[in-house]
Amino acid sequence: MTPSAKMSARASTISPRHCSGAMYPGVPTPNDTVPSAAENALSTIRNQYWTRGYNEVRADYELTERGGAGEVDLAFTVMEGRQSVIADISIAGNERVSTHLVRDQIEVSPEEPLDLNAVAQWRRRLYGTGAFSAVDITRRELN
């Protein structure tokens, strides 16, 4: 069974006349609607899970109006999926550069969660050394 979580929050809409011309920190503007704020929250939730190795996370939200008073209930549902963890690091094809140089660029150890954004950064760092014309980072599933 895939672990899941459900979070709820309440939000109020603010009429444009309450914000006209003034900027108040933390107060939504007419362009900052509840759905766009919920989408931003979803993006943040997904990023938090991705950095922890939950690269197949599924997150969604549901808005429910509350009595027409400009208020809504906002519920988030998160399905984590499986966590990806680094089991081993193998470096091959680096005949002209040291393994130490490659390891310095990837800054990761076995048993850490696999963050795919970090993988993209490692690739950029390896290219940035000027020592590589091709960088192939592969993932394989372990049973």
Side-chain angles (χ1 to χ4, degrees), residues 1-5 54 78-81:
M1 181 166 185
T2 302
S4 65
Y54 293 96
V78 178
M79 302 287 288
E80 292 177 338

Side-chain angles (χ1 to χ4, degrees), residues 1-122:
M1 181 166 185
T2 302
S4 65
K6 191 162 190 160
M7 299 166 271
S8 296
R10 286 219 165 107
S12 296
T13 57
I14 293 181
S15 121
R17 63 185 164 79
H18 290 115
C19 301
S20 58
M23 298 299 287
Y24 299 101
V27 176
T29 65
N31 293 329
D32 189 18
T33 63
V34 172
S36 69
E39 288 295 333
N40 289 338
L42 273 181
S43 179
T44 299
I45 290 168
R46 287 184 191 116
N47 284 329
Q48 291 294 318
Y49 275 90
W50 289 336
T51 61
R52 290 170 175 82
Y54 293 96
N55 299 302
E56 298 172 9
V57 65
R58 301 285 178 253
D60 203 0
Y61 70 91
E62 182 179 335
L63 292 173
T64 306
E65 287 188 48
R66 295 187 64 229
E71 294 183 345
V72 294
D73 286 331
L74 178 59
F76 292 92
T77 303
V78 178
M79 302 287 288
E80 292 177 338
R82 288 178 29 181
Q83 184 183 31
S84 298
V85 177
I86 297 170
D88 187 28
I89 301 165
S90 300
I91 298 171
N94 58 316
E95 291 83 21
R96 291 192 254 180
V97 296
S98 72
T99 299
H100 180 72
L101 172 74
V102 175
R103 286 203 184 270
D104 281 351
Q105 301 307 310
I106 60 174
E107 298 175 352
V108 70
S109 302
E111 304 302 318
E112 289 183 20
L114 176 64
D115 178 358
L116 296 180
N117 289 327
V119 171
Q121 289 175 352
W122 305 336

